[in-house]
Amino acid sequence: MSIIEFDKVNKWFGQQHVLRDIDLQVEAGEQVVICGPSGSGKSTLIRLVNRLEAHEEGRLVVDGITIDDNAKSIEAVRRKVGMVFQQFNLFPHLSVLENLTLAPVWVNGTAQKDAEAQAMQQLERVHIAEQAHKYPLQLSGGQQQRVAIARALCLSPRIMLFDEPTSALDPEMIKEVLDVMAELATQGITMLCVTHEMGFARSVANRVIFMDDGQIIEEAPPTDFFDNPQSARLQEFLSRIL
Amino acid sequence: MSDSIVFSPVTARPAPHRTQGISAWARTNLFSDWPNSIATVLLLMIFAWYLPQLIDWAVLKAVVRPDVDACQAAAHAGACWGVVSEKYRTILFGRYPYAEQWRPLAAVLLMLSLVGVSAVPRMWRWYLLPLWLAGMVLFVALMGGSVAGLTPVQTNLWGGLPLTVLLSLGGMTMAFPLAILLAMGRRSTLPVLRTLSSLYVELIRGVPLISVLFMASFMLPLFLPQGVKLDVLIRVLVGIGLFSAAYMAEIVRGGLQAVPQAQTEAAQSLGLGYWKTHGLVLLPQALQAVLPSLVNSFIGNFKDCSLVTIVSLYELTGALSLALGGDVVWRPFFLEGYLFVALIYWSFCFGMSRYSMRLERRLSRSQART
Ligand SMILES: Nc1ncnc2c1ncn2[C@@H]1O[C@H](COP(=O)(O)OP(=O)(O)OP(=O)(O)O)[C@@H](O)[C@H]1O
Ligand SMILES: [Mg+2]
């Protein structure tokens, strides 16, 4: 059974039909990159997975949990799914270390000491352990984003969602974040990643998905996706961004 | 190749005129342009005219001894601080039995040291709460007596500074949590909760404190079951708490509104529920953002406590009227008495304002880029 299963999922914002009959299976350990024009519904799609948005129709199952209004299942799924945002969204009033220990201590009930040790490990993993006692706004964008990744990792999630993690970064910082993500990929975490970094998609993803108008237009392994696009819309999209 | 650009280094030169020191400060702050200069000179002249007169009245010709004849002889050319030396105990402690007045003094000192301890950020730990509870109990025991061999003193005899301190601290302690709940209620997704919170805030903000106090002390008993008698002090405390909660709720709501929605999403994605998201992520940022307004409201509340005189509780200003109103001899020197009370109020409020400025600077350190 797949770790994420979309079955005819539909989503509206008011009268606007933003996700239409989405069918998608993601296997455990797979890295999937989602791309598409602005407003095509990429963010909405991945935000359904941890219920930051609610779908109206269809069935969505994440690691065996059916996503619905049930508070218990929402809570359970959020423990298994980590998320990284475009604008980092670190908590500015807490130090880097406190950002990382917050959820383990208050959600999982981990002892403060263990949570800190665990947090330091995750900071090592994203190569930023020396900044543990600074505050987020004292870090560069690239560093903040790596802290955000470490924060999500502290709950030992099975799935990581990335929503354009490098779009708010200066060019010279993009690489440091992508490198960290590539390392994660080799460690077998399931990744669902909205990005327009096509080099990353080509080298890291198992599968690339193209969305337009709230629909999945095409999905293929990266070599086919980039070298042999089937639909006219994808061909046009690729010609514009490559 | 005569038009190729060649880099020629520029050595640092001193600034054309001084940018530091007193004269530079005066130039930018006092004499930056004509209107500014005129205002400066005018204000200096006013000071030069009035300051000597003020010093003359308040210090040089003042009578400090509690001596009515000397005061009358000075005949308002000099201040009569004697009224303070004569009456300060009534002003500070109201109708509290004279022989027992060490108790309210100890109670006030106790509260002030608690405030002092709580003001140090290093002390912000869980044990502050039981410490405050113990402090409150001790305060009431000291004031009310009938424990540990202290003679009982009815609450209607409590007065002066301890009453002011009790009403403002107690009122604030009640108001603060209520204000946070109201602010959260007004932002709730549940329509009933939202409407009720809005209704409460709008209702309370629409009436003056004096009528809330009046209702609290005369109408509240009507709603209580027969035989249950609530002390007037508690009724008034509840009134003040309910009143300031409405104002503080709006301040807190403003602060919550200023925290980006993305912070909520980040907290949710980490599995934090509604209460933890608020307690750990949103409220700390919101309260920090509105700290100056909160302190402002606390200062306002502190002074508003003087209104409790209308329900026969004699806090500082009430105690002053008590001390001088019935005394034909000293009555002419109300002004000096009021100045004394004003000085007490001012030093409290000034302390609060300085403290909030320090706290702001400290809290904003985490926001600063280095
Ligand atoms: N909270 C919301 N309320 C109403 N409409 C929304 C909301 N969020 C998104 N939308 C609309 O839903 C559609 C899909 O939005 P979404 O953010 O998923 O697009 P996207 O593919 O992530 O675009 P981008 O590349 O710009 O981030 C857009 O038309 C957007 O205007
Ligand atoms: Mg998006």
Side-chain angles (χ1 to χ4, degrees):
Chain A
M1 189 171 144
S2 318
I3 195 163
I4 305 176
E5 288 197 358
F6 286 82
D7 183 9
K8 289 248 175 307
V9 168
N10 283 277
K11 163 83 188 158
W12 286 262
F13 279 120
Q15 285 306 309
Q16 192 188 356
H17 196 173
V18 293
L19 289 178
R20 308 181 191 174
D21 288 345
I22 298 290
D23 279 315
L24 174 68
Q25 275 85 39
V26 179
E27 303 305 321
E30 228 189 338
Q31 281 82 43
V32 177
V33 161
I34 303 168
C35 61
S38 179
S40 55
K42 309 178 296 290
S43 299
T44 311
L45 179 79
I46 65 168
R47 287 158 63 90
L48 290 186
V49 175
N50 65 350
R51 196 68 175 189
L52 287 186
E53 304 288 357
H55 57 285
E56 278 90 22
E57 276 179 10
R59 219 170 103 83
L60 172 56
V61 182
V62 178
D63 201 13
I65 302 168
T66 304
I67 309 281
D68 53 23
D69 274 331
N70 185 321
K72 276 272 173 298
S73 60
I74 295 174
E75 198 178 303
V77 86
R78 283 179 180 162
R79 279 187 215 195
K80 300 185 176 205
V81 179
M83 185 159 194
V84 175
F85 302 85
Q86 181 176 350
Q87 298 293 346
F88 331 133
N89 298 0
L90 294 173
F91 305 131
H93 62 297
L94 300 177
S95 73
V96 165
L97 195 62
E98 290 164 340
N99 262 276
L100 268 66
T101 55
L102 189 75
V105 169
W106 290 94
V107 177
N108 286 357
T110 312
Q112 182 71 31
K113 239 192 153 93
D114 303 342
E116 276 176 20
Q118 224 260 357
M120 287 313 290
Q121 263 176 22
Q122 299 301 346
L123 287 175
E124 304 272 1
R125 202 164 163 191
V126 299
H127 316 296
I128 203 164
E130 69 283 358
Q131 313 283 8
H133 296 286
K134 286 202 178 165
Y135 284 90
L137 295 183
Q138 298 169 336
L139 303 179
S140 74
Q143 291 173 323
Q144 287 189 54
Q145 193 59 298
R146 285 186 284 147
V147 171
I149 293 173
R151 180 175 72 177
L153 288 173
C154 275
L155 288 173
S156 319
R158 296 201 61 197
I159 303 168
M160 284 285 280
L161 308 173
F162 293 85
D163 192 356
E164 307 204 30
T166 57
S167 302
L169 296 177
D170 293 338
E172 76 265 29
M173 294 170 188
I174 291 178
K175 188 174 176 305
E176 64 185 58
V177 171
L178 290 180
D179 285 349
V180 164
M181 290 168 60
E183 278 171 46
L184 283 184
T186 63
Q187 294 160 4
I189 288 190
T190 311
M191 283 171 45
L192 212 53
C193 180
V194 177
T195 183
H196 292 126
E197 293 295 329
M198 291 308 154
F200 175 81
R202 213 183 251 278
S203 60
V204 174
N206 306 99
R207 201 157 27 126
V208 186
I209 289 175
F210 175 65
M211 286 185 73
D212 197 5
D213 252 348
Q215 298 163 67
I216 295 179
I217 306 284
E218 195 160 336
E219 52 176 298
T223 41
D224 294 343
F225 188 89
F226 292 110
D227 303 335
N228 191 15
Q230 301 295 311
S231 63
R233 276 203 254 184
L234 177 54
Q235 287 164 8
E236 193 209 322
F237 179 72
L238 289 175
S239 72
R240 265 191 285 124
I241 64 163
L242 287 178
Chain B
M1 297 300 281
S2 58
D3 57 346
S4 71
I5 297 163
V6 176
F7 172 71
S8 58
V10 177
T11 45
R13 292 188 296 271
H17 48 74
R18 288 167 58 95
T19 54
Q20 281 168 337
I22 291 182
S23 67
W25 179 85
R27 189 165 48 234
T28 50
N29 290 298
L30 301 178
F31 302 102
S32 61
D33 54 13
W34 271 109
N36 191 350
S37 309
I38 292 171
T40 303
V41 169
L42 267 178
L43 282 173
L44 278 178
M45 277 164 62
I46 293 174
F47 266 122
W49 177 252
Y50 274 108
L51 205 60
Q53 295 193 22
L54 187 66
I55 292 176
D56 204 37
W57 180 79
V59 182
L60 298 180
K61 297 214 177 101
V63 179
V64 183
R65 280 166 296 123
D67 178 348
V68 189
D69 298 332
C71 275
Q72 265 153 3
H76 295 286
C80 170
W81 300 122
V83 68
V84 176
S85 342
E86 170 77 18
K87 297 284 188 186
Y88 74 96
R89 288 189 59 162
T90 319
I91 299 175
L92 285 179
F93 302 122
R95 293 188 291 172
Y96 207 89
Y98 195 84
E100 301 282 339
Q101 282 182 356
W102 63 270
R103 282 160 52 182
L105 179 65
V108 167
L109 292 180
L110 171 75
M111 278 297 137
L112 292 187
S113 38
L114 261 180
V115 169
V117 166
S118 323
V120 184
R122 230 173 339 110
M123 303 296 290
W124 295 347
R125 297 276 185 280
W126 62 270
Y127 51 68
L128 218 49
L129 202 67
L131 203 64
W132 268 96
L133 281 178
M136 289 278 186
V137 170
L138 200 56
F139 181 94
V140 173
L142 268 172
M143 293 292 291
S146 68
V147 280
L150 296 174
T151 43
V153 176
Q154 293 292 312
T155 51
N156 59 3
L157 295 179
W158 299 12
L161 191 56
L163 191 61
T164 303
V165 168
L166 174 69
L167 289 177
S168 49
L169 281 181
M172 197 47 88
T173 316
M174 275 188 35
F176 196 53
L178 184 58
I180 287 175
L181 290 178
L182 281 169
M184 286 166 67
R186 286 199 79 171
R187 285 161 47 89
S188 165
T189 48
L190 307 173
V192 178
L193 217 57
R194 213 168 44 229
T195 315
L196 282 179
S197 316
S198 303
L199 209 66
Y200 178 85
V201 169
E202 296 305 339
L203 216 65
I204 297 284
R205 283 203 307 174
V207 294
L209 173 60
I210 208 155
S211 52
V212 173
L213 288 178
F214 217 72
M215 285 191 280
S217 89
F218 297 113
M219 275 172 62
L220 206 61
L222 302 181
F223 297 115
L224 291 173
Q226 278 291 317
V228 177
K229 231 177 130 270
L230 217 50
D231 194 283
V232 64
L233 199 60
I234 293 180
R235 290 184 306 220
V236 162
L237 253 177
V238 170
I240 290 178
L242 293 180
F243 184 79
S244 29
Y247 282 85
M248 284 168 67
E250 283 303 278
I251 298 174
V252 174
R253 189 170 70 96
L256 283 171
Q257 226 72 310
V259 181
Q261 172 67 19
Q263 291 283 311
T264 310
E265 287 177 0
Q268 285 176 343
S269 77
L270 288 169
L272 295 170
Y274 178 82
W275 292 102
K276 285 175 185 165
T277 298
H278 275 86
L280 299 167
V281 175
L282 302 182
L283 282 169
Q285 295 183 60
L287 295 180
Q288 178 181 334
V290 297
L291 187 70
S293 317
L294 279 178
V295 172
N296 194 30
S297 124
F298 191 35
I299 289 177
N301 181 53
F302 180 70
K303 293 183 294 186
D304 279 352
C305 288
S306 53
L307 291 174
V308 299
T309 316
I310 67 140
V311 291
S312 315
L313 289 174
Y314 299 98
E315 48 58 74
L316 269 179
T317 49
L320 176 70
S321 323
L322 209 62
L324 299 189
D327 192 330
V328 209
V329 184
W330 287 104
R331 199 155 45 189
F333 306 102
F334 245 113
L335 175 64
E336 287 84 348
Y338 265 119
L339 282 174
F340 174 63
V341 168
L343 184 71
I344 296 178
Y345 270 107
W346 181 82
S347 31
F348 274 92
C349 296
F350 186 68
M352 282 188 253
S353 129
R354 285 338 286 254
Y355 175 67
S356 94
M357 280 161 78
R358 265 190 43 199
L359 200 58
E360 249 173 81
R361 260 203 306 274
R362 190 199 137 85
L363 290 175
S364 65
R365 236 186 289 157
S366 67
Q367 317 284 15
R369 286 187 155 270
T370 49

